[in-house]
Amino acid sequence: MKVLVATEKPFAPVAVEGIRKVVEDAGYQLALLEKYTDRQQLLDAVKDADALIIRSDKVDAEVLDAAKQLKIVVRAGAGYDNVDLAAATAHNVCVENTPGQNSNAVAELVFGMAVMAVRNMYNGTSGTELKGKKLGIHAFGQVGRNVARIAKGFGMEVNALDPYCPDQVMIDAGVTPVKYLDALYADNQIVSLHIPATPETKGSVGYDLVMKLPKNGVLVNTARKEVIDEEGLRKALAERPDIKYVADVKPDNAPVLEEEFAGRVFFTPKKMGAQTAEANINAGIAAARQIVDFLRDGSAPYRVNK
Ligand code: 3PG
């Protein structure tokens, strides 16, 4: 049995070694395709793979067609919007993610970027502190919960909105549940986005919500670029010179935003939230273990396709 790790953005070497140990100890073979630049390389590499570990790598019907022996794909991470779930089901391929494994890394980056924003992108001028400010967490999943924990250390007042999360979970975490999206944006100087990219959420944060932010509001996006209505954001940034937008992944209109709103926007060159050795080890090894379990007895506790 062959387990292929196909990562356009590679794991830290120490994580790859951990994955290798789990796979080889189980008697399977490990193959690596890192930093590939051409889709054909992926199509060739999956040909004889029984299992696949990916990150944000796109797995669609074409990849699944090429992967004749494939039984399972594990997205080492949280969001699986890069995998065509229906096509995987049609190809009889199980898809899992590794929830929670990289969430602290993403949450820490939220504060790296929030501090940068309130300190005016470190341009030498006087900024503000996070202490005593209100933080609105848009979706209270694993990353949102880690963000809340860290925010307490900064001395922030934390509010969150998540229709899928019981209020009591937030209350137990010292977080105030918010019922209305408008209120989340209107009442919190820093809003941190943690919604997944789904047909319902794509383009759902735009002009109206951004305009609701209080004076000197900061929108932090470590989720997905697709959840933003980019033209709406642009319009809001033009009308509200006090607002900043910092995001862990470049929007499609990044060059325009960087030119029009220099000093008020910041984008990482590549998605970096989960780019830590710890997150790579946690998610990568969890993925390898999930594959070994699945190949042994069919167990798939984190299956995300039907
Ligand atoms: C996730 O969904 O787990 C994060 O966005 C990390 O994605 P990455 O593995 O491509 O860095």
Side-chain angles (χ1 to χ4, degrees), residues 165-221:
C165 175
D167 285 358
Q168 197 56 46
V169 172
M170 296 181 192
I171 293 162
D172 290 348
V175 172
T176 305
V178 176
K179 285 282 157 267
Y180 299 103
L181 207 45
D182 283 5
L184 187 81
Y185 282 71
D187 296 342
N188 292 284
Q189 192 184 336
I190 315 273
V191 172
S192 189
L193 272 172
H194 300 292
I195 47 177
T198 65
E200 294 75 42
T201 64
K202 283 185 181 168
S204 66
V205 178
Y207 180 79
D208 291 344
L209 286 177
V210 177
M211 287 299 286
K212 292 255 162 358
L213 286 169
K215 191 158 172 50
N216 299 326
V218 176
L219 181 60
V220 184
N221 181 7

Side-chain angles (χ1 to χ4, degrees), residues 9 55-56 75-79 102 224 271 274:
K9 186 177 61 184
R55 295 183 64 179
S56 289
R75 191 286 191 241
N102 59 17
R224 290 289 182 273
K271 188 152 55 113

Side-chain angles (χ1 to χ4, degrees), residues 9 11 54-57 75-82 98 102-103 106 222-224 248 271-275 280 283:
K9 186 177 61 184
F11 291 122
I54 51 161
R55 295 183 64 179
S56 289
D57 308 80
R75 191 286 191 241
Y80 43 86
D81 46 304
N82 49 320
T98 65
N102 59 17
S103 42
V106 180
T222 56
R224 290 289 182 273
D248 179 28
K271 188 152 55 113
M272 290 193 60
Q275 277 299 62
N280 292 169

Side-chain angles (χ1 to χ4, degrees), residues 103 135-152 158-178 184 192-196:
S103 42
L135 171 71
I137 301 179
H138 188 168
F140 205 63
Q142 302 273 3
V143 181
R145 291 169 206 202
N146 277 282
V147 168
R149 170 180 55 77
I150 298 168
K152 295 275 161 188
V158 189
N159 305 296
L161 178 140
D162 191 332
Y164 302 100
C165 175
D167 285 358
Q168 197 56 46
V169 172
M170 296 181 192
I171 293 162
D172 290 348
V175 172
T176 305
V178 176
L184 187 81
S192 189
L193 272 172
H194 300 292
I195 47 177

Side-chain angles (χ1 to χ4, degrees), residues 271-286:
K271 188 152 55 113
M272 290 193 60
Q275 277 299 62
T276 67
E278 294 88 340
N280 292 169
I281 292 167
N282 293 343
I285 292 178

